[in-house]
Amino acid sequence: AQKITQTQPGMFVQEKEAVTLDCTYDTSDPSYGLFWYKQPSSGEMIFLIYQGSYDQQNATEGRYSLNFQKARKSANLVISASQLGDSAMYFCAMRGHSGGSNYKLTFGKGTLLTVNP
Amino acid sequence: SAVISQKPSRDICQRGTSLTIQCQVDSQVTMMFWYRQQPGQSLTLIATANQGSEATYESGFVIDKFPISRPNLTFSTLTVSNMSPEDSSIYLCSVENGNDYEQYFGPGTRLTVT
């Protein structure tokens, strides 16, 4: 079974500052992937970043980076230089690569980020 | 990344009726997924739709309530049958990029049942 835990229901950050959104996970799968999605109030799910469990380096995509600490089973999202448009719900998710029931994408409960001007 | 469209984007339906949601992808994909997001909640997988075979439903979801079609590698439909107010949710289709495990979502269908 897979489990994603996001312990921050809400976070506030000042515009132009960096913010870290926490995510911890649990899985029995030796190979897996970790995802972060952004969901603005419109409801669409926007893919932000992906980290494979065997990737040697932390994933980065523009202002987004994933702080992957395998031993701690954490996959925190770091957003640098926050913008007002970053205000949204953020979901951490994972999927096992070995097939079976772990192959489906499992989501955390989400963190609502508010960027203040 | 795959470009995914959904129709309708939103709808308001009467209790007891059915709504069919369409999902179109701009490239051929093996696996398509349907998710439900109830108000204020996270996403829950309804079923996995593979072309040429019956959809695989998750615990708590049944084919009579959520029939799915997958006639080809770029298209799928989800029907929400005999709707009740509890079915009011955002329904999202999703596809996997088979090359690198990334998974993308359509814009969603916001359903309200009155």
Side-chain angles (χ1 to χ4, degrees):
Chain A
Q2 302 176 140
K3 186 176 181 181
I4 292 282
T5 302
Q6 295 180 254
T7 57
Q8 306 155 315
M11 287 283 287
F12 293 89
V13 66
Q14 287 298 122
E15 192 177 9
K16 299 181 184 179
E17 293 186 351
V19 62
T20 298
L21 306 183
D22 294 342
C23 173
T24 58
Y25 63 90
D26 194 17
T27 181
S28 57
D29 212 314
S31 177
Y32 51 88
L34 295 152
F35 303 73
W36 277 93
Y37 291 89
K38 171 185 178 182
Q39 187 178 43
S41 57
S42 60
E44 61 185 313
M45 291 288 285
I46 302 169
F47 169 80
L48 296 179
I49 197 166
Y50 168 82
Q51 176 86 44
S53 60
Y54 286 104
D55 292 342
Q56 294 297 316
Q57 294 186 340
N58 287 345
T60 60
E61 289 286 348
R63 294 187 299 112
Y64 304 108
S65 61
L66 200 152
N67 184 2
F68 180 47
Q69 298 189 43
K70 195 171 182 178
R72 294 185 176 184
K73 294 188 175 181
S74 73
N76 299 340
L77 178 70
V78 180
I79 305 175
S80 63
S82 297
Q83 302 172 355
L84 296 178
D86 293 335
S87 294
M89 184 71 83
Y90 289 80
F91 290 97
C92 179
M94 76 172 299
R95 181 173 65 213
H97 291 166
S98 300
S101 62
N102 283 347
Y103 196 72
K104 63 182 181 181
L105 205 57
T106 301
F107 286 84
K109 294 185 180 300
T111 296
L112 181 62
L113 176 66
T114 302
V115 181
N116 294 317
Chain B
S1 63
V3 176
I4 308 167
S5 60
Q6 282 186 237
K7 291 182 181 179
S9 58
R10 59 177 61 230
D11 207 342
I12 301 174
C13 300
Q14 298 277 353
R15 180 197 302 258
T17 63
S18 298
L19 176 72
T20 296
I21 302 167
Q22 299 180 5
C23 178
Q24 179 77 52
V25 190
D26 69 340
S27 58
Q28 293 184 340
V29 294
T30 302
M31 300 180 76
M32 295 180 77
F33 307 89
W34 286 98
Y35 288 82
R36 180 177 76 179
Q37 186 180 27
Q38 295 176 301
Q41 303 295 315
S42 187
L43 278 74
T44 302
L45 179 65
I46 298 171
T48 301
N50 293 329
Q51 194 264 340
S53 64
E54 293 287 330
T56 303
Y57 289 83
E58 296 298 306
S59 176
F61 298 96
V62 295
I63 188 171
D64 289 346
K65 175 67 175 177
F66 297 101
I68 287 172
S69 78
R70 181 80 198 273
N72 57 53
L73 292 175
T74 63
F75 186 79
S76 178
T77 66
L78 169 76
T79 298
V80 186
S81 304
N82 188 25
M83 288 184 283
S84 66
E86 292 70 35
D87 293 320
S88 297
S89 300
I90 299 175
Y91 291 86
L92 300 113
C93 77
S94 177
V95 304
E96 179 194 61
N97 180 339
N99 294 330
D100 54 13
Y101 297 111
E102 293 178 0
Q103 189 163 335
Y104 302 96
F105 285 80
T109 296
R110 193 180 294 267
L111 171 63
T112 303
V113 183
T114 61

Short mmCIF file of all heavy atoms in Angstrom, two decimals, chain A residues 43-69:
data_model
loop_
_atom_site.label_atom_id
_atom_site.label_comp_id
_atom_site.label_asym_id
_atom_site.label_seq_id
_atom_site.Cartn_x
_atom_site.Cartn_y
_atom_site.Cartn_z
N GLY A 43 -9.71 24.58 -10.97
CA GLY A 43 -9.91 23.14 -10.84
C GLY A 43 -8.97 22.27 -11.65
O GLY A 43 -8.89 21.06 -11.41
N GLU A 44 -8.27 22.82 -12.61
CA GLU A 44 -7.37 21.98 -13.40
C GLU A 44 -6.19 21.54 -12.56
O GLU A 44 -5.80 22.20 -11.61
CB GLU A 44 -6.90 22.74 -14.63
CG GLU A 44 -6.12 23.99 -14.30
CD GLU A 44 -5.75 24.79 -15.54
OE1 GLU A 44 -5.26 24.20 -16.50
OE2 GLU A 44 -5.95 26.02 -15.51
N MET A 45 -5.63 20.40 -12.89
CA MET A 45 -4.45 19.87 -12.20
C MET A 45 -3.25 20.09 -13.11
O MET A 45 -3.16 19.49 -14.18
CB MET A 45 -4.62 18.38 -11.92
CG MET A 45 -5.66 18.05 -10.88
SD MET A 45 -5.13 18.50 -9.22
CE MET A 45 -3.96 17.19 -8.90
N ILE A 46 -2.33 20.92 -12.65
CA ILE A 46 -1.18 21.28 -13.45
C ILE A 46 0.04 20.52 -12.95
O ILE A 46 0.44 20.66 -11.79
CB ILE A 46 -0.92 22.80 -13.39
CG1 ILE A 46 -2.16 23.55 -13.87
CG2 ILE A 46 0.31 23.18 -14.21
CD1 ILE A 46 -2.11 25.04 -13.61
N PHE A 47 0.63 19.71 -13.83
CA PHE A 47 1.83 18.96 -13.46
C PHE A 47 2.99 19.93 -13.27
O PHE A 47 3.26 20.77 -14.13
CB PHE A 47 2.15 17.95 -14.56
CG PHE A 47 3.50 17.31 -14.43
CD1 PHE A 47 3.70 16.27 -13.56
CD2 PHE A 47 4.57 17.75 -15.18
CE1 PHE A 47 4.93 15.67 -13.42
CE2 PHE A 47 5.81 17.16 -15.06
CZ PHE A 47 6.00 16.12 -14.19
N LEU A 48 3.70 19.80 -12.14
CA LEU A 48 4.83 20.69 -11.86
C LEU A 48 6.18 20.00 -12.01
O LEU A 48 7.08 20.52 -12.68
CB LEU A 48 4.72 21.24 -10.43
CG LEU A 48 3.54 22.14 -10.11
CD1 LEU A 48 3.59 22.56 -8.65
CD2 LEU A 48 3.52 23.36 -11.03
N ILE A 49 6.32 18.82 -11.37
CA ILE A 49 7.65 18.25 -11.27
C ILE A 49 7.53 16.77 -10.92
O ILE A 49 6.57 16.35 -10.27
CB ILE A 49 8.49 19.03 -10.23
CG1 ILE A 49 9.98 18.75 -10.38
CG2 ILE A 49 7.98 18.77 -8.81
CD1 ILE A 49 10.84 19.74 -9.61
N TYR A 50 8.51 15.99 -11.39
CA TYR A 50 8.55 14.55 -11.16
C TYR A 50 9.95 14.14 -10.70
O TYR A 50 10.96 14.64 -11.21
CB TYR A 50 8.19 13.81 -12.45
CG TYR A 50 8.48 12.32 -12.40
CD1 TYR A 50 7.57 11.46 -11.81
CD2 TYR A 50 9.66 11.80 -12.92
CE1 TYR A 50 7.82 10.10 -11.76
CE2 TYR A 50 9.92 10.45 -12.87
CZ TYR A 50 9.00 9.60 -12.29
OH TYR A 50 9.25 8.25 -12.23
N GLN A 51 9.97 13.23 -9.73
CA GLN A 51 11.24 12.67 -9.23
C GLN A 51 11.14 11.16 -9.20
O GLN A 51 10.25 10.60 -8.55
CB GLN A 51 11.50 13.19 -7.81
CG GLN A 51 12.74 12.62 -7.14
CD GLN A 51 14.00 13.38 -7.48
OE1 GLN A 51 14.02 14.61 -7.49
NE2 GLN A 51 15.07 12.67 -7.75
N GLY A 52 12.03 10.48 -9.89
CA GLY A 52 12.10 9.03 -9.80
C GLY A 52 12.93 8.61 -8.60
O GLY A 52 13.90 9.30 -8.24
N SER A 53 12.59 7.49 -8.03
CA SER A 53 13.27 7.08 -6.78
C SER A 53 14.74 6.76 -7.00
O SER A 53 15.53 6.80 -6.05
CB SER A 53 12.55 5.88 -6.17
OG SER A 53 12.54 4.77 -7.08
N TYR A 54 15.11 6.44 -8.25
CA TYR A 54 16.51 6.12 -8.50
C TYR A 54 17.27 7.26 -9.16
O TYR A 54 18.44 7.10 -9.54
CB TYR A 54 16.61 4.85 -9.35
CG TYR A 54 16.30 3.60 -8.55
CD1 TYR A 54 15.09 2.95 -8.68
CD2 TYR A 54 17.23 3.10 -7.65
CE1 TYR A 54 14.81 1.82 -7.93
CE2 TYR A 54 16.95 1.96 -6.90
CZ TYR A 54 15.73 1.33 -7.05
OH TYR A 54 15.46 0.21 -6.30
N ASP A 55 16.60 8.39 -9.32
CA ASP A 55 17.30 9.55 -9.88
C ASP A 55 18.37 10.03 -8.91
O ASP A 55 18.11 10.16 -7.70
CB ASP A 55 16.31 10.68 -10.16
CG ASP A 55 15.35 10.35 -11.28
OD1 ASP A 55 15.66 9.42 -12.05
OD2 ASP A 55 14.31 11.02 -11.39
N GLN A 56 19.55 10.30 -9.44
CA GLN A 56 20.67 10.68 -8.58
C GLN A 56 20.56 12.13 -8.10
O GLN A 56 21.06 12.47 -7.02
CB GLN A 56 21.99 10.48 -9.34
CG GLN A 56 22.30 9.03 -9.66
CD GLN A 56 22.48 8.20 -8.40
OE1 GLN A 56 23.14 8.62 -7.45
NE2 GLN A 56 21.89 7.02 -8.39
N GLN A 57 19.95 12.96 -8.92
CA GLN A 57 19.87 14.37 -8.56
C GLN A 57 18.42 14.76 -8.29
O GLN A 57 17.48 14.18 -8.85
CB GLN A 57 20.44 15.22 -9.70
CG GLN A 57 21.93 15.02 -9.93
CD GLN A 57 22.48 15.98 -10.96
OE1 GLN A 57 21.75 16.53 -11.76
NE2 GLN A 57 23.79 16.19 -10.93
N ASN A 58 18.27 15.79 -7.47
CA ASN A 58 16.94 16.33 -7.22
C ASN A 58 16.40 16.99 -8.49
O ASN A 58 17.13 17.68 -9.20
CB ASN A 58 16.98 17.35 -6.08
CG ASN A 58 17.16 16.70 -4.73
OD1 ASN A 58 16.99 15.49 -4.59
ND2 ASN A 58 17.51 17.49 -3.73
N ALA A 59 15.10 16.78 -8.74
CA ALA A 59 14.49 17.36 -9.92
C ALA A 59 14.29 18.86 -9.77
O ALA A 59 14.02 19.36 -8.67
CB ALA A 59 13.13 16.70 -10.17
N THR A 60 14.46 19.57 -10.87
CA THR A 60 14.20 21.02 -10.89
C THR A 60 13.45 21.35 -12.17
O THR A 60 13.69 20.75 -13.23
CB THR A 60 15.49 21.85 -10.83
OG1 THR A 60 16.29 21.52 -11.97
CG2 THR A 60 16.27 21.57 -9.56
N GLU A 61 12.52 22.30 -12.07
CA GLU A 61 11.78 22.81 -13.22
C GLU A 61 11.53 24.28 -12.99
O GLU A 61 10.61 24.67 -12.28
CB GLU A 61 10.43 22.08 -13.38
CG GLU A 61 10.49 20.65 -13.82
CD GLU A 61 10.84 20.51 -15.30
OE1 GLU A 61 10.82 21.51 -16.03
OE2 GLU A 61 11.14 19.36 -15.71
N GLY A 62 12.39 25.11 -13.55
CA GLY A 62 12.22 26.54 -13.37
C GLY A 62 12.32 26.93 -11.91
O GLY A 62 13.32 26.67 -11.25
N ARG A 63 11.28 27.56 -11.38
CA ARG A 63 11.28 27.99 -9.97
C ARG A 63 10.93 26.86 -9.00
O ARG A 63 10.94 27.08 -7.78
CB ARG A 63 10.28 29.14 -9.79
CG ARG A 63 10.66 30.42 -10.53
CD ARG A 63 9.73 31.57 -10.18
NE ARG A 63 8.35 31.29 -10.56
CZ ARG A 63 7.36 31.11 -9.68
NH1 ARG A 63 7.59 31.15 -8.38
NH2 ARG A 63 6.13 30.88 -10.11
N TYR A 64 10.62 25.69 -9.53
CA TYR A 64 10.26 24.56 -8.67
C TYR A 64 11.45 23.60 -8.54
O TYR A 64 12.11 23.28 -9.53
CB TYR A 64 9.08 23.80 -9.27
CG TYR A 64 7.86 24.64 -9.53
CD1 TYR A 64 7.50 24.98 -10.83
CD2 TYR A 64 7.07 25.10 -8.49
CE1 TYR A 64 6.37 25.74 -11.08
CE2 TYR A 64 5.94 25.87 -8.73
CZ TYR A 64 5.60 26.20 -10.03
OH TYR A 64 4.49 26.96 -10.27
N SER A 65 11.66 23.15 -7.34
CA SER A 65 12.64 22.09 -7.12
C SER A 65 12.08 21.12 -6.09
O SER A 65 11.26 21.49 -5.24
CB SER A 65 13.99 22.66 -6.67
OG SER A 65 13.84 23.36 -5.45
N LEU A 66 12.50 19.89 -6.22
CA LEU A 66 12.01 18.85 -5.32
C LEU A 66 13.17 18.42 -4.44
O LEU A 66 14.18 17.93 -4.95
CB LEU A 66 11.45 17.67 -6.13
CG LEU A 66 10.51 16.72 -5.41
CD1 LEU A 66 9.54 16.08 -6.39
CD2 LEU A 66 11.29 15.65 -4.65
N ASN A 67 13.03 18.60 -3.15
CA ASN A 67 14.05 18.21 -2.18
C ASN A 67 13.77 16.77 -1.77
O ASN A 67 12.98 16.51 -0.86
CB ASN A 67 14.02 19.15 -0.98
CG ASN A 67 15.13 18.85 0.01
OD1 ASN A 67 15.95 17.95 -0.21
ND2 ASN A 67 15.17 19.58 1.11
N PHE A 68 14.43 15.84 -2.46
CA PHE A 68 14.17 14.42 -2.29
C PHE A 68 15.16 13.83 -1.29
O PHE A 68 16.37 13.86 -1.52
CB PHE A 68 14.29 13.70 -3.63
CG PHE A 68 14.05 12.22 -3.58
CD1 PHE A 68 12.96 11.69 -2.90
CD2 PHE A 68 14.89 11.35 -4.26
CE1 PHE A 68 12.73 10.33 -2.87
CE2 PHE A 68 14.65 9.98 -4.25
CZ PHE A 68 13.58 9.48 -3.55
N GLN A 69 14.65 13.33 -0.17
CA GLN A 69 15.49 12.68 0.83
C GLN A 69 14.94 11.27 1.03
O GLN A 69 14.00 11.05 1.80
CB GLN A 69 15.48 13.47 2.14
CG GLN A 69 16.07 14.88 1.97
CD GLN A 69 16.26 15.59 3.28
OE1 GLN A 69 16.73 15.01 4.26
NE2 GLN A 69 15.89 16.86 3.32
#
